[in-house]
Amino acid sequence: MTLFGVTSIITFFTSIGFGLIVFSGNRESKLNRSWLALSIFIAFWSIFLYGGVSANTEKSSMFWLYCLDFTAIFIPVLYLNFIFEFLKIKNNILKYGSFLFAILLSVFSFTSYFKIGVIRVFDLYWVNPGKYYFVFPTFFIIIIAISLVYLIRAYINSKDITYRGQIRNQILAGLIGFSGGITNFFPQLFDIYPFGNYFIILYVFFVSYAVLKYKFFDTKVISTQLFSGAISLIFLFNLLKPADSTTDWFIDFGIFVMIIVFVILLNRSMYKEIEAKKEIEKLAEDLKYANEQLQKMDKQKSEFINLASHQLRGPVASLKGYSSMILEGSYGKISKKVEDVVNRISQSSNALALIIDDFLNLSRIERGKIEFSFAEGNVEDVVKSSFEELKPKADEKKLEMTFDVKKGNYVTIMDAEKIRQIVSNLIDNSIKYTPKGSINIKLSESVGKILITVSDTGIGIPKDGIDKLFKKFSRLPNANEENIQGTGLGLYLAKEVMNAHEGRVWVESEGQDKGSMFFVELKAMERRKAPRNTSTEKAEKNLPEAKKFVEEI
């Protein structure tokens, strides 16, 4: 067998194999189907070429060359169709017009106007061209040239790197493969050896490269099946070659069967893996969509909370204000019974005001629109205000609540209202979660740090619950058992506010039913040194002389 024959057989197997592999990867794809059609025609053109040039008689050669020309006429048209599918171009006039012309030309190829017979050139049989044989190579070159022009134009206009890589490899494949194929017209027209026939294999190589590098088709399927197909072909050829003995043939046959089983199992596992991957990708897409919807709903929730909180704030402020005025006697003396009722209204409105403030601050933090009014202020005044506001609530539960202040510097830069909210929330929590016993609020200052401590003898905190306390909407099981009211936002907001103050808030507890201690730490302002009065300094200097003068008198 000559090198020319070997390359023709290799082209047949690679083209038909590659076309079927691509098609099996996605049978619904028009691109894959168009590639399969082109691959089949290239494969049979190659095998017919082998049959024609290597035939032993002119008659058998003539049969093969009739088949060769019939398939070769449709190759440029199918290539144009493949390029149109690849580039997503719709040009029905050119597409169907070229198909119609190819059909007419294929019929014409069986007449003597197309070929007279066969001639022997370079020890191979070739077509003896008729009067109008030149129409075929002209049509072939024009259609291929049009296809390449479309590819080049798409390459120039595209900005996508991957897509440009696909197009570039198609251009290279077309130029090398089809320019090599055109040289098969040379022996009968110009008496030149068809050296370019070997380049057709490069066409398959370049398209394969486009597949593997730029994911032109389903690369996982193709790479696996190319590998398994190549192994199968190697062992098939090994089986078909003459064996030295029957025993050797059966050994080769056994090896071939084992390879086929291996290939089947390999492909089955590959398909399972791909199906699993597709399922994961689908789940990922669903998760992405669900996440987008959740973000949208979360934004709507924040907007609703912000709007609702603003609408509720006014009526609650009125409740607080009027109940306070009634208790102070602004509307005259009231009975003990009415006073108790108004006290309950005042306490409930204070609690509701704290909840509304929590939701408003949460909404602002989530939207990144929380504002702070930092100014110089005294922490002692803020803590005292919260203590006095919530003392009646503690008295009602018969809890002993004390406020101890150690001597120190409690002046700092802060948003007084937000610090008051934190302290009020901590005290309110201690009242709610202390069934009996006492609550102590302590204020101290040391080494430039102001420390607010709220300790109680309440239900305490389990060791594994401390880390969860400062998370959004977090409530521990023992807290829910003791008091079902609460948003689970207070400590989360306290942490965010203290971060903005460059301070910190934390909790300590020895465990359930052993009470808890909450701490808030702020930076104290440095004390300003009062400027000394120069006249006072003079008087102090002259004091001994004045004393002496008085004694002398």
Side-chain angles (χ1 to χ4, degrees):
M1 185 183 292
T2 63
L3 181 61
F4 194 89
V6 171
T7 56
S8 297
I9 290 174
I10 291 172
T11 303
F12 170 78
F13 279 110
T14 53
S15 297
I16 198 81
F18 192 72
L20 289 171
I21 288 168
V22 170
F23 177 68
S24 66
N26 185 358
R27 298 183 183 186
E28 303 301 319
S29 169
K30 288 184 178 181
L31 180 66
N32 288 20
R33 285 187 289 192
S34 64
W35 173 248
L36 174 64
L38 176 60
S39 298
I40 288 172
F41 271 76
I42 290 174
F44 280 98
W45 166 84
S46 182
I47 204 69
F48 292 151
L49 177 63
Y50 168 75
V53 299
S54 60
N56 295 323
T57 64
E58 289 187 7
K59 187 177 180 180
S60 64
S61 175
M62 192 68 176
F63 168 78
W64 290 111
L65 292 176
Y66 273 130
C67 296
L68 170 73
D69 289 338
F70 181 84
T71 53
I73 287 166
F74 286 96
I75 287 175
V77 178
L78 290 170
Y79 179 68
L80 178 67
N81 180 57
F82 170 69
I83 296 303
F84 278 1
E85 290 295 338
F86 170 48
L87 299 177
K88 296 180 175 60
I89 293 172
K90 288 187 178 179
N91 189 335
N92 290 335
I93 295 173
L94 182 58
K95 181 179 177 180
Y96 294 117
S98 60
F99 264 113
L100 180 61
F101 189 84
I103 292 169
L104 294 173
L105 192 59
S106 65
V107 174
F108 180 69
S109 69
F110 290 97
T111 69
S112 58
Y113 292 103
F114 193 87
K115 53 178 165 286
I116 301 169
V118 294
I119 53 174
R120 198 160 181 86
V121 183
F122 307 115
D123 292 327
L124 301 168
Y125 284 112
W126 298 94
V127 170
N128 187 6
K131 187 177 180 181
Y132 297 103
Y133 182 79
F134 72 90
V135 175
F136 175 30
T138 304
F139 171 72
F140 192 99
I141 292 168
I142 289 171
I143 298 300
I144 295 300
I146 290 170
S147 303
L148 291 173
V149 166
Y150 273 110
L151 283 169
I152 292 167
R153 188 186 298 169
Y155 180 82
I156 293 168
N157 295 331
S158 176
K159 303 295 180 186
D160 186 272
I161 296 173
T162 303
Y163 189 49
R164 282 168 65 90
Q166 294 172 351
I167 296 170
R168 183 179 64 245
N169 280 281
Q170 272 300 321
I171 292 170
L172 288 171
L175 286 172
I176 295 173
F178 285 106
S179 61
I182 288 168
T183 62
N184 285 290
F185 294 115
F186 289 0
Q188 54 264 46
L189 295 176
F190 310 111
D191 198 27
I192 298 174
Y193 187 81
F195 57 87
N197 189 63
Y198 310 124
F199 296 163
I200 298 171
I201 298 173
L202 293 177
Y203 174 76
V204 178
F205 165 76
F206 272 108
V207 177
S208 303
Y209 181 75
V211 170
L212 298 173
K213 183 176 176 67
Y214 296 106
K215 299 183 180 179
F216 197 50
F217 300 103
D218 193 337
T219 59
K220 183 76 176 180
V221 175
I222 290 169
S223 56
T224 305
Q225 292 190 337
L226 276 176
F227 171 72
S228 59
I231 291 176
S232 301
L233 284 173
I234 289 168
F235 282 92
L236 176 63
F237 284 130
N238 185 59
L239 180 67
L240 294 176
K241 73 178 183 179
D244 295 334
S245 65
T246 307
T247 305
D248 290 344
W249 187 88
F250 274 109
I251 291 170
D252 291 341
F253 178 76
I255 294 171
F256 176 72
V257 169
M258 285 190 290
I259 291 297
I260 293 299
V261 171
F262 166 74
V263 165
I264 292 169
L265 293 175
L266 176 66
N267 280 273
R268 184 181 292 177
S269 65
M270 179 267 301
Y271 274 115
K272 284 183 179 179
E273 184 182 336
I274 289 172
E275 287 301 318
K277 184 181 177 183
K278 285 179 180 177
E279 187 65 28
I280 291 168
E281 287 173 354
K282 185 178 179 299
L283 289 171
E285 284 296 319
D286 292 343
L287 186 62
K288 183 182 177 183
Y289 175 76
N291 189 45
E292 288 172 356
Q293 293 300 111
L294 282 172
Q295 287 178 350
K296 195 182 293 182
M297 289 170 66
D298 191 56
K299 185 181 177 184
Q300 290 172 347
K301 178 256 316 176
S302 297
E303 290 171 354
F304 171 75
I305 289 172
N306 186 55
L307 179 65
S309 301
H310 272 295
Q311 295 297 324
L312 287 169
R313 206 173 192 185
V316 171
S318 297
L319 277 172
K320 285 178 67 178
Y322 283 118
S323 60
S324 177
M325 290 169 70
I326 291 168
L327 290 171
E328 289 169 1
S330 299
Y331 296 99
K333 194 174 180 181
I334 56 173
S335 65
K336 179 67 177 169
K337 191 175 182 180
V338 172
E339 185 181 348
D340 290 341
V341 172
V342 176
N343 261 323
R344 287 179 181 276
I345 292 170
S346 178
Q347 289 169 15
S348 296
S349 58
N350 284 333
L352 185 56
L354 284 171
I355 291 171
I356 291 169
D357 285 339
D358 283 350
F359 277 117
L360 268 174
N361 286 327
L362 172 66
S363 174
R364 288 166 184 159
I365 287 169
E366 287 181 339
R367 291 182 297 132
K369 291 185 178 180
I370 190 165
E371 294 179 357
F372 293 92
S373 300
F374 288 105
E376 186 177 314
N378 194 309
V379 176
E380 183 180 350
D381 296 338
V382 172
V383 178
K384 188 178 180 182
S385 169
S386 295
F387 171 79
E388 289 174 350
E389 183 181 353
L390 292 164
K391 182 74 165 66
K393 190 174 180 179
D395 293 340
E396 189 179 325
K397 282 190 72 174
K398 296 183 173 53
L399 297 172
E400 182 186 350
M401 190 161 83
T402 57
F403 178 35
D404 298 327
V405 184
K406 289 188 177 181
K407 189 177 180 180
N409 172 29
Y410 298 114
V411 178
T412 187
I413 300 296
M414 64 178 172
D415 185 325
E417 179 57 27
K418 288 188 171 56
I419 297 298
R420 187 194 67 77
Q421 287 176 9
I422 291 174
V423 175
S424 295
N425 188 275
L426 294 178
I427 297 172
D428 188 58
N429 281 347
S430 287
I431 294 170
K432 282 193 290 188
Y433 301 119
T434 304
K436 60 180 181 178
S438 62
I439 298 164
N440 177 248
I441 296 97
K442 187 166 69 175
L443 188 61
S444 60
E445 186 261 333
S446 176
V447 199
K449 301 284 186 182
I450 299 169
L451 185 66
I452 307 165
T453 307
V454 179
S455 58
D456 60 57
T457 58
I459 61 173
I461 303 165
K463 293 291 184 184
D464 59 349
I466 289 176
D467 293 336
K468 300 174 185 176
L469 274 180
F470 293 92
K471 292 179 180 177
K472 193 163 40 175
F473 299 113
S474 176
R475 280 173 61 81
L476 300 180
N478 63 336
N480 288 323
E481 291 170 8
E482 182 65 29
N483 192 313
I484 59 170
Q485 295 180 348
T487 61
L489 289 173
L491 294 175
Y492 167 76
L493 294 171
K495 184 184 72 172
E496 295 297 321
V497 170
M498 290 311 300
N499 287 341
H501 281 76
E502 296 182 356
R504 62 189 184 119
V505 58
W506 72 97
V507 62
E508 293 176 4
S509 177
E510 292 183 7
Q512 193 155 334
D513 299 323
K514 293 183 179 179
S516 54
M517 297 177 69
F518 286 86
F519 302 92
V520 177
E521 187 181 79
L522 291 159
K523 289 180 181 178
M525 281 184 65
E526 291 184 12
R527 292 180 184 272
R528 294 175 184 168
K529 291 182 180 180
R532 291 183 64 84
N533 193 319
T534 52
S535 59
T536 305
E537 287 179 359
K538 264 185 187 178
E540 287 176 352
K541 267 185 186 178
N542 296 329
L543 188 59
E545 292 180 10
K547 279 183 179 179
K548 189 178 178 181
F549 176 73
V550 170
E551 287 172 0
E552 286 176 356
I553 292 173

